[in-house]
Structures are given as C-alpha cells and as structure tokens.
C-alpha cells in the first residue's frame, strides 16, 4: 500500500503536533541560514510555482528557499502557459506533477487548487487562494513565537476584511488554542463555515475595531481589497474607513503587543505609517520568516521528519 500524498492546502491540514515540529524545525533551518551553514537536503528536487496572481514575498521566499536547500525552481504564470488558454486544471496537474517533485500554487478559487491536488502525483502547497493563505499564518505564528513565546491562550486582534488571512487565522486559533478578536465592517464578516472551523469559541466578533484590540497580544490587519476583488475598490474604501490600525488601537492592546501585516501594505488605509513603521511592528521579520517556515514545510512534505 502506498502512503497517501500530503498536501498543504489549508492551515487545518496539519495537527498541533505537526506545527510544534515545523516551528522547531524552522528555527533550526533559520539558525543554519544565519550562520552560513550550507544545508542542501533537496538536491535534484524541483519545485514548480504556479502564479495566477501577482506576488513578491511568496515568489522570492519559495524560490530562494528552494535554491538554498539545493533544489531547482520553475516559475509558471497564467499568461505564459496553457493555463491561460483554458487547459483543464486536472490535465495541467497530471502533466506538471510527472516532471517535478513539489508544486506551489497561487490562484483564485480554493476549489481549483483542490482539483489540482486531487490529480497531482506530488505534494501541493497553497501559496494563496481567495479563501486561504496558510503559509502566511505559518510565518506569522513562527514570528510571534520568536518574539513572545507560545501563542496558546493569547488574543489576536484581526481588524479589517473577513478575507483569506482572517479565515486562516481562525483555523490556526482552533488548532493552536488561542482566540481571535475580529472586527470587520458590516457586509465583510467571516463565519465559522467560511473559515472551515467547528469551534466558534475560538473567536469573538466586535463591531468596533478599538474594542477588538483591547487586551490583545497581537494586532494584525490586511489590505481592504484583496487580489481579484479590485472592482470593489471604491465601495470598500468607504466601508473600511474606520478599520485603520492606528496608535489608539495599539494603545488599547497589551503594552507589549506586536503588530503584523502580511504585506503589501497601504499606509494611511488599513494601517497608519506610525504603527507599521513603529516599535511594535515586526512586519519585516514576518516577511523574512516566510522563507524559513516554507523551507521547513518543503522539507517536511518531501522528506518527512528529520531526526
Ligand atoms: N504576503 C504575501 O503573500 O505577499 P506577496 O503577495 O508579495 O506574495
Ligand atoms: N488578502 C490579500 C493578501 C495578499 C498577500 C490578498 O489576497 O490579496
């Protein structure tokens, strides 16, 4: 009997124990990188990256990470492949996964990613869909742990859109045992069903974003308009005007609260320059950590547990 392929399509695809392993492993891999220790367990392995939406961090972190581990990377976009000419995603999955060892996809509907995974011979990683962004939350929680220790029992304030990031935070809260205080404008809420969670006790909804931040250990937000929703830009600009993380919100949080943003950010919209460029912000560590956690993730999917 062959072992079923493991994919990473949503945060809830892994258990609490697997996350404990991955965070410890990412810390080791990061330490090796910082000490210029060559670590190349993925020589001769190839990662295909498929981008149907723009990216800076996801592309650079996966590509640099894979090269550092000794592997190779292919970058495929909608415009320069048959994906843009309506080749069925199932056929693309069958073909691409015969030639590479691992696939990372950034696309629109989660269902499309899932269809690819169902027809893939190799592990598939979600590099962002309309519904979820698990690699980002992996990096965010690793960053929280680096700065403050375990996130279990802590409060994370989510200020803004009930989007792919918010849904992934809720999944993480359910698995890792923390609470999300969520405040979205009316019409942009997120439900347990949308986030794919069963424990509604892991989040609390607040009408006023300032109330969501009270006592929080981490305050986080994201763009008002996610990729793929650009036609709603003007409506959202009006609806989200009061959902800008500012110093008053940070002052309502714990005195040592951190600020995170997955980036790219729009200063003066979802966050003030004072907060994102201020002393509580760890956004640059957060961005760098994408690479370290994803190296641990790729190693785990291809080689299993080390040691
Ligand atoms: N945070 C993030 O995923 O950034 P990119 O869109 O630049 O990849
Ligand atoms: N919610 C944003 C995240 C970008 C990294 C988007 O989907 O565009």
């Amino acid at each position: 009997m062959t072992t079923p392929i493991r994919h990473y399509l949503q945060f809830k695809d892994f258990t609490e124990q697997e996350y404990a392993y991955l965070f410890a492993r990412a810390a080791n891999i990061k330490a090796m990188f910082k000490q210029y220790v060559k670590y190349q367990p993925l020589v001769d392995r190839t990662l295909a990256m498929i981008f149907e939406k723009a990216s800076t961090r996801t592309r650079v972190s996966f590509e640099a990470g894979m090269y550092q581990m000794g592997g190779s990377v292919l970058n495929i976009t909608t415009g320069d492949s048959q994906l843009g000419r309506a080749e069925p995603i199932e056929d693309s999955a069958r073909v691409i996964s015969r030639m590479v060892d691992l696939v990372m996809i950034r696309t629109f509907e989660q269902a499309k990613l899932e269809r690819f995974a169902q027809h893939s011979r190799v592990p598939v990683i979600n590099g962002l869909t309309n519904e979820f962004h698990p690699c980002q939350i992996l990096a965010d929680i690793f960053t929280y742990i680096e700065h403050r220790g375990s996130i279990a029992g802590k409060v994370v304030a989510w200020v803004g859109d009930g989007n792919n990031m918010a849904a992934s935070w809720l999944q993480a809260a359910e698995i890792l045992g923390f609470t999300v205080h969520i405040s979205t404008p009316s019409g942009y809420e997120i439900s347990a069903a949308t986030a794919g969670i069963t424990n509604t006790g892991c989040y609390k909804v607040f009408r006023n974003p300032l109330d969501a931040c009270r006592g929080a250990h981490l305050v986080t937000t994201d763009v008002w308009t996610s990729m793929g929703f650009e036609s709603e830009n003007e409506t959202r600009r009006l609806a989200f005007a009061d959902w800008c993380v500012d110093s008053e919100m940070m002052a309502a949080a714990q005195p040592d609260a951190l600020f995170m943003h997955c980036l790219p950010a729009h200063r003066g919209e979802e966050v003030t320059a004072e907060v994102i460029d201020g002393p509580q912000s760890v956004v640059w560590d957060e961005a760098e950590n994408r690479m370290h956690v994803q190296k641990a993730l790729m190693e785990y999917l291809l080689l299993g547990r080390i040691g």
Side-chain angles (χ1 to χ4, degrees), residues 100-119:
V100 304
D101 302 281
L102 187 61
V103 179
M104 187 287 302
I105 310 182
R106 168 168 287 195
T107 188
F108 294 87
E109 299 78 23
Q110 180 76 9
K112 192 169 180 183
L113 173 79
E114 284 169 7
R115 277 160 53 212
F116 190 104
Q118 276 159 16
H119 295 86

Side-chain angles (χ1 to χ4, degrees), residues 51 54-59 106 127-128 133 136 227 262-264 290:
F51 284 104
S55 169
T56 295
R57 279 143 289 271
T58 303
R59 176 165 180 188
R106 168 168 287 195
L128 181 146
H133 196 4
Q136 183 67 55
M227 291 180 281
C262 63
L263 307 176
R290 286 289 302 277

